[in-house]
């Protein structure tokens, strides 16, 4: 896989759900979408208290050359964010993660549709596999990842530190490149 991945377009779209690279213009809408504390329950960072704080967090992520950060929109309205992470030590694949969605979209299929847009593009760009991870305590996220067809690789100690100072244990999943994707 060649990184940074050259996605087919600056906007991935299925007609209603779209993903675009994050920009500061997205900060107010994203803050409104993810300001519910439940969104941050399993994430290893402090909860931003303003749109400007969230924008700073997002730009710290965007500035990482091994990460592409997307804003998720439904019918033009910002509902969340997700990212593609690349690890040069594992160049054959990538991880999709750091997903945060407005709780009003939970269980509606928006997450699945957004992930399918990325999965299609990443396999077309040459990824052999795509990894996902979630906090071992986040059953809702694990169930959503299983719906994508990813194989559960089990729980192991992670490098991420929870807000309470404990080192996170994460459940890892992997989706292999389909044979018909050549």
């Amino acid at each position: 896989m060649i990184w940074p991945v050259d996605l087919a377009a600056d906007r991935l779209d299925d007609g209603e759900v779209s993903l675009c690279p994050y920009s500061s213009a997205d900060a107010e809408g994203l803050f409104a979408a993810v300001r519910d504390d439940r969104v941050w329950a399993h994430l290893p960072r402090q909860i931003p208290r303003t749109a400007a704080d969230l924008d700073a967090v997002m730009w710290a992520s965007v500035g990482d050359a091994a990460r592409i950060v997307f804003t998720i929109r439904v019918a033009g309205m910002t509902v969340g964010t997700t990212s593609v992470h690349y690890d040069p030590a594992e160049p054959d694949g990538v991880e999709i993660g750091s997903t945060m969605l407005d709780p009003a979209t939970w269980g509606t299929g928006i997450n699945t549709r957004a992930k399918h847009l990325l999965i299609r593009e990443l396999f077309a760009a040459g990824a052999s596999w795509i990894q996902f991870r979630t906090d071992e305590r986040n059953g809702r996220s694990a169930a959503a990842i299983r719906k994508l067809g990813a194989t559960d690789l089990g729980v192991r100690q992670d490098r991420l530190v929870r807000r309470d100072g404990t080192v996170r244990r994460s459940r890892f999943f992997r989706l292999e490149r389909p044979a018909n994707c050549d």
Side-chain angles (χ1 to χ4, degrees):
M1 172 157 206
I2 298 171
W3 189 264
V5 65
D6 182 22
L7 298 177
D10 286 339
R11 175 185 165 116
L12 304 176
D13 189 313
D14 76 358
E16 182 184 20
V17 176
S18 64
L19 284 75
C20 298
Y22 177 79
S23 80
S24 290
D26 300 329
E28 288 289 336
L30 183 57
F31 182 70
V34 301
R35 68 182 303 163
D36 187 309
D37 287 354
R38 293 175 296 167
V39 173
W40 299 85
H42 300 286
L43 298 174
R45 64 179 69 89
Q46 294 303 314
I47 302 170
R49 293 299 171 198
T50 67
D53 291 344
L54 179 60
D55 190 46
V57 168
M58 298 304 290
W59 278 112
S61 299
V62 171
D64 180 352
R67 185 172 178 183
I68 303 171
V69 180
F70 295 93
T71 300
I72 303 169
R73 291 185 181 86
V74 175
M77 183 174 168
T78 299
V79 298
T81 184
T82 194
S83 297
V84 177
H85 305 262
Y86 176 75
D87 181 351
E90 297 189 75
D92 293 337
V94 294
E95 180 174 322
I96 296 175
S98 302
T99 301
M100 297 184 293
L101 288 167
D102 182 333
T105 69
W106 294 356
T108 66
I110 300 301
N111 182 45
T112 301
R113 290 169 66 184
K115 294 295 192 304
H116 279 299
L117 287 168
L118 285 173
I119 289 166
R120 181 191 70 220
E121 293 296 320
L122 292 166
F123 282 143
S128 295
W129 50 263
I130 297 171
Q131 176 176 281
F132 304 88
R133 84 175 80 185
T134 189
D135 189 295
E136 68 179 333
R137 302 178 295 187
N138 193 344
R140 184 185 51 77
S141 178
I145 294 168
R146 285 185 186 99
K147 286 181 186 177
L148 297 171
T151 301
D152 189 332
L153 302 176
V155 174
R156 61 180 186 257
Q157 200 68 36
D158 205 337
R159 59 179 163 62
L160 302 173
V161 178
R162 295 178 179 119
R163 283 192 308 278
D164 67 6
T166 59
V167 178
R168 184 169 116 167
R169 290 180 44 84
S170 293
R171 181 169 297 283
F172 287 81
F173 297 85
R174 186 166 281 192
L175 186 61
E176 299 295 332
R177 178 186 181 90
N180 62 352
C181 196
D182 294 329

